[in-house]
């Protein structure tokens, strides 16, 4: 049973979603405030975090940052703030996905399953991929650059795998999206992919402003390696 930490201060939403998730076989812990969530995170581990942004004792972005600093648990942000800037900021802080309220429960559950599947599926193969000075140990879903481990979110990891497996080839944005995102591709706009690429570059390129591993091919997509 996947374990979910659900942080939401609106009791109606919290209990409604909790009920549906339990029906669908998830084990749910509810937190109404950031402090409660921090406490739960200290004592248990979760497969997935669902995070509201506007909370009584702070903003969800802070917790997103805190979680990302120490672990790679997938995070889906749930928020009424649907402006593009908020979405980009959430993704920049390491969230794996973003759903704006009001959302349909079926959509939430399919996004959750997609995030969990991506996480699970990358741990089953046993190959070591080399991508420039970056090494990907797919069995452990670990990434190293010059011998130092690089911490990636599930989606960044998926993006890296798609690129590393296609070195020397031009990948269109649509091809990349279809490999890293297996539900409702319509929700991932060009801007979102650009944000993921930027984040991944910051983690694996020597000079993210002059990327050598992930090159932009103007108007087309990206080329991995040389
Ligand atoms: Ca709220």
């Amino acid at each position: 049973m996947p374990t979910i930490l659900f942080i939401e201060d609106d009791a109606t939403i919290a209990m409604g979603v909790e009920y549906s998730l339990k029906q669908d076989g998830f084990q749910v812990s509810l937190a109404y405030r950031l402090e409660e969530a921090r406490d739960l995170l200290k004592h248990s581990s979760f497969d997935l975090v669902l995070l509201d942004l506007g909370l009584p004792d702070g903003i969800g972005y802070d917790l997103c940052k805190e979680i990302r600093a120490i672990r790679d648990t997938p995070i889906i942000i749930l928020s009424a703030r649907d402006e593009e800037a908020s979405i980009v900021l959430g993704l920049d802080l390491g969230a794996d996905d973003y759903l704006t309220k009001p959302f349909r429960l079926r959509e939430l559950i399919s996004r959750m399953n997609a995030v969990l599947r991506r996480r699970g599926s990358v741990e089953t193969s046993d190959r070591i991929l080399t991508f420039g000075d970056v090494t990907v140990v797919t069995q452990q879903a670990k990434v190293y650059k010059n011998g130092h481990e690089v911490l990636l979110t599930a989606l960044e990891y998926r993006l890296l795998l798609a690129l590393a497996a296609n070195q020397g080839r031009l990948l269109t944005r649509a091809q990349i999206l279809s490999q890293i995102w297996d539900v409702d591709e319509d929700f991932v706009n060009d801007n979102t992919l650009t944000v993921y690429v930027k984040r991944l570059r910051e983690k694996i390129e020597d000079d993210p402003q002059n990327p050598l591993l992930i090159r932009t091919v103007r108007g087309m997509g990206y080329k991995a390696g040389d």
Side-chain angles (χ1 to χ4, degrees):
M1 253 204 218
T3 52
I4 311 297
L5 174 58
F6 183 25
I7 306 147
E8 168 65 69
D9 63 320
D10 181 322
T12 311
I13 298 178
M15 288 183 323
V17 172
E18 182 191 27
Y19 176 80
S20 305
L21 292 182
K22 283 182 172 164
Q23 298 287 99
D24 260 65
F26 294 98
Q27 197 179 315
V28 184
S29 299
L30 264 182
Y32 291 94
R33 307 161 64 85
L34 290 175
E35 272 320 303
E36 278 174 69
R38 289 187 180 107
D39 218 48
L40 287 166
L41 282 162
K42 233 176 271 170
H43 299 109
S44 359
S45 70
F46 296 93
D47 296 315
L48 178 68
V49 175
L50 296 176
L51 178 61
D52 180 28
L53 288 184
L55 292 157
D57 56 342
I59 184 151
Y61 292 135
D62 294 336
L63 188 69
C64 189
K65 248 188 290 186
E66 289 164 30
I67 294 173
R68 202 44 85 230
I70 51 168
R71 55 185 107 189
D72 59 357
T73 311
I75 300 169
I76 298 178
I77 288 179
L78 306 175
S79 171
R81 303 169 190 233
D82 58 351
E83 316 94 78
E84 195 169 77
S86 310
I87 296 175
V88 171
L89 179 58
L91 299 176
D92 254 336
L93 293 176
D96 291 87
D97 204 349
Y98 195 112
L99 210 52
T100 51
K101 294 175 186 169
F103 50 80
R104 286 173 297 127
L105 272 162
R106 292 319 316 170
E107 190 188 346
L108 172 65
I109 290 168
S110 85
R111 300 272 195 119
M112 290 170 65
N113 283 329
V115 166
L116 291 166
R117 201 162 51 235
R118 284 197 292 267
R119 179 57 53 102
S121 66
V122 295
E123 282 159 10
T124 52
S125 72
D126 57 354
R127 296 166 59 205
I128 292 181
L129 288 171
T130 306
F131 183 31
D133 55 4
V134 173
T135 305
V136 186
V137 184
T138 55
Q139 191 172 29
Q140 301 159 351
K142 287 193 185 247
V143 177
Y144 300 89
K145 181 177 171 71
N146 297 324
H148 297 286
E149 189 175 352
V150 182
L151 220 53
L152 299 181
T153 66
L155 231 135
E156 290 164 356
Y157 179 74
R158 192 83 178 171
L159 173 60
L160 175 64
L161 274 192
L163 292 163
N166 289 284
Q167 292 179 55
R169 283 170 46 193
L170 168 70
L171 289 169
T172 65
R173 301 173 75 91
Q175 282 170 331
I176 294 174
L177 288 174
S178 73
Q179 287 194 42
I180 64 172
W181 205 280
D182 40 12
V183 282
D184 296 335
E185 274 164 51
D186 298 349
F187 288 100
V188 190
N189 61 28
D190 262 14
N191 189 33
T192 311
L193 180 61
T194 305
V195 170
Y196 285 123
V197 167
K198 176 173 169 280
R199 269 169 36 192
L200 185 56
R201 277 177 175 152
E202 279 161 6
K203 293 183 179 182
I204 65 167
E205 296 277 0
D206 288 335
D207 178 3
Q209 301 305 318
N210 296 293
L212 297 174
L213 295 172
I214 312 171
R215 295 171 199 260
T216 301
V217 182
R218 195 185 278 262
M220 299 287 293
Y222 297 96
K223 193 176 171 192
D226 41 21

